[in-house]
């Protein structure tokens, strides 16, 4: 197994024995792979999406997506992963510009992204989306049709925004999209005080917000989109994609991916 060269070396006590990773800080970035010919792959990630990709109080990169990539990197002796943490909106721009080779930020599939980027074929997190509202509302939302005329939170550039914008393009009656990049606490308060009538979230995020803020967010109706999350690459970067897909499938088959999800996310959200 090779050591990992990171700009921020991630340390998760709950998975340290599993990943066999070197620990340190930014000053340790001079460590090299056991394979002197390993190709450096710069991975673009976010910095505020806990617990998936974020910087902790010591400015060290942490997260479920990063731990998966570290485990993948351990299996790929021909590559050495380094990480660039940035605002979510800049990750795919950096991929387009060739500043990073791989984008990791819980990306779901959508046609617009697929036209511009190469998707991995092996998914690593369930990302089924549901309409969510505050329990104080006397409301039940079964589909996007029920959101017509309603104010709905969406992060600009995210898949929820894409789904809502696509709906509005295809229908005369519109959903009022409230683009939101606020903190999780402000997001939840916005649903509670009526700034927005609803949001679109995974079960994981809904449960997390309810526990974190003692909220009463309710999931209504059937899912509006069933998906998984994937790593993204530049068009034509098939060799890297296939190598990562192969290593990721090994993590799934050996049970490592499920264990990472349980340890970091609190349950198995890989299926």
């Amino acid at each position: 197994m090779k050591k990992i060269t990171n700009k921020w070396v991630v340390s998760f006590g709950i998975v340290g024995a599993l990943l066999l990773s070197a620990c340190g800080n930014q000053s340790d970035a001079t460590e090299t792979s056991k394979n002197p010919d390993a190709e450096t792959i710069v991975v673009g990630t976010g910095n505020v999406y806990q617990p998936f990709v974020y910087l902790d109080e010591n400015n060290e990169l942490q997260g479920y997506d990063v731990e998966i990539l570290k485990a993948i990197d351990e299996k790929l002796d021909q590559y050495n992963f380094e990480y660039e943490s940035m605002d979510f909106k800049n990750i795919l721009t950096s991929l387009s510009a060739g500043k990073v080779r791989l984008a990791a930020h819980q990306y779901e599939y959508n046609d617009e992204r697929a036209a511009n980027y190469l998707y991995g074929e092996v998914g690593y997190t369930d990302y089924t989306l549901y309409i969510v509202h505050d329990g104080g509302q006397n409301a039940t939302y079964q589909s996007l049709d029920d959101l017509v005329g309603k104010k709905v939170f969406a992060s600009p550039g995210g898949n929820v925004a894409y789904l809502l914008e696509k709906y509005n393009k295809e229908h005369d009656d519109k959903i009022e999209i409230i683009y939101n990049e606020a903190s999780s606490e402000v997001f939840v308060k916005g649903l509670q005080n009526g700034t927005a009538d609803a949001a679109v979230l995974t079960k994981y995020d809904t449960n997390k917000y309810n526990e974190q803020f003692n909220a009463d967010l309710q999931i209504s109706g059937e899912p509006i989109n069933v998906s998984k999350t994937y790593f993204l690459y530049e068009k034509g970067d098939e060799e890297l994609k296939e190598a990562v897909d192969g290593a990721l499938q090994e993590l799934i088959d050996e049970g490592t991916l499920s264990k990472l999800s349980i340890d970091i996310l609190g349950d198995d959200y890989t299926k």
Side-chain angles (χ1 to χ4, degrees):
M1 292 293 184
K2 66 178 181 176
K3 293 183 181 179
I4 298 175
T5 302
N6 291 344
K7 292 191 177 180
W8 298 275
V9 179
V10 184
S11 174
F12 261 92
I14 53 179
V15 294
L18 179 68
L19 299 179
L20 305 177
S21 298
C23 295
N25 53 36
Q26 294 185 34
S27 65
D28 296 323
T30 55
E31 274 191 79
T32 58
S33 168
K34 290 181 180 179
N35 176 8
D37 298 319
E39 180 182 3
T40 297
I41 302 297
V42 181
V43 177
T45 72
N47 51 29
V48 295
Y49 189 22
Q50 296 190 38
F52 298 101
V53 281
Y54 66 98
L55 295 176
D56 66 14
E57 64 274 9
N58 298 315
N59 206 39
E60 293 180 349
L61 186 63
Q62 307 278 11
Y64 171 71
D65 286 42
V66 179
E67 292 296 336
I68 293 172
L69 285 162
K70 287 177 64 179
I72 289 171
D73 195 19
E74 286 287 336
K75 291 180 175 291
L76 300 178
D77 195 51
Q78 71 271 39
Y79 296 125
N80 189 54
F81 288 179
E82 293 185 355
Y83 301 89
E84 289 281 1
S85 181
M86 61 193 76
D87 290 345
F88 171 72
K89 62 184 177 182
N90 294 330
I91 300 172
L92 294 184
T93 302
S94 295
L95 184 61
S96 297
K99 295 179 180 179
V100 304
R101 287 273 302 277
L102 188 159
H105 198 289
Q106 290 287 293
Y107 286 111
E108 306 158 74
Y109 178 88
N110 69 50
D111 293 337
E112 184 177 298
R113 285 183 188 146
N116 296 297
Y117 307 102
L118 178 65
Y119 269 87
E121 296 180 18
V122 180
Y124 62 96
T125 321
D126 177 72
Y127 214 86
T128 300
L129 293 171
Y130 297 82
I131 301 171
V132 174
H133 64 90
D134 181 66
Q137 287 190 41
N138 184 21
T140 301
Y141 301 114
Q142 300 294 339
S143 69
L144 290 180
D145 290 335
D146 295 329
L147 296 178
V148 169
K150 302 294 185 181
K151 296 175 290 185
V152 182
F153 276 145
S155 176
N159 206 47
V160 171
Y162 168 80
L163 293 171
L164 298 178
E165 290 162 356
K166 182 179 179 182
Y167 180 92
N168 282 349
K169 288 178 182 178
E170 296 172 352
H171 296 81
D172 292 332
D173 296 323
K174 310 297 184 184
I175 298 168
E176 185 178 348
I177 304 172
I178 306 297
Y179 293 99
N180 174 72
E181 293 184 287
S183 67
S184 298
E185 182 177 11
V186 173
F187 174 88
V188 171
K189 285 183 177 179
L191 289 173
Q192 293 171 328
N193 65 25
T195 300
D197 299 296
V200 179
L201 298 172
T202 63
K203 284 185 176 180
Y204 170 78
D205 280 333
T206 304
N207 293 337
K208 179 183 72 173
Y209 291 148
N210 280 339
E211 181 177 350
Q212 186 174 359
F213 302 109
N214 194 27
D216 183 28
L217 302 183
Q218 301 290 319
I219 290 176
S220 298
E222 297 297 317
I224 65 163
N225 192 61
V226 177
S227 180
K228 284 185 173 290
T229 61
Y230 303 87
F231 299 124
L232 270 64
Y233 312 83
E234 295 179 274
K235 288 282 190 179
D237 206 352
E238 295 284 350
E239 184 176 351
L240 176 60
K241 178 196 79 71
E242 291 175 5
V244 172
D245 276 346
L248 181 54
Q249 188 62 56
E250 288 182 19
L251 294 177
I252 293 170
D253 294 342
E254 68 194 24
T256 300
L257 191 69
S258 293
K259 187 177 190 313
L260 283 170
S261 179
I262 292 168
D263 286 344
I264 299 173
L265 306 181
D267 206 342
D268 187 354
Y269 291 98
T270 66
K271 301 174 182 179

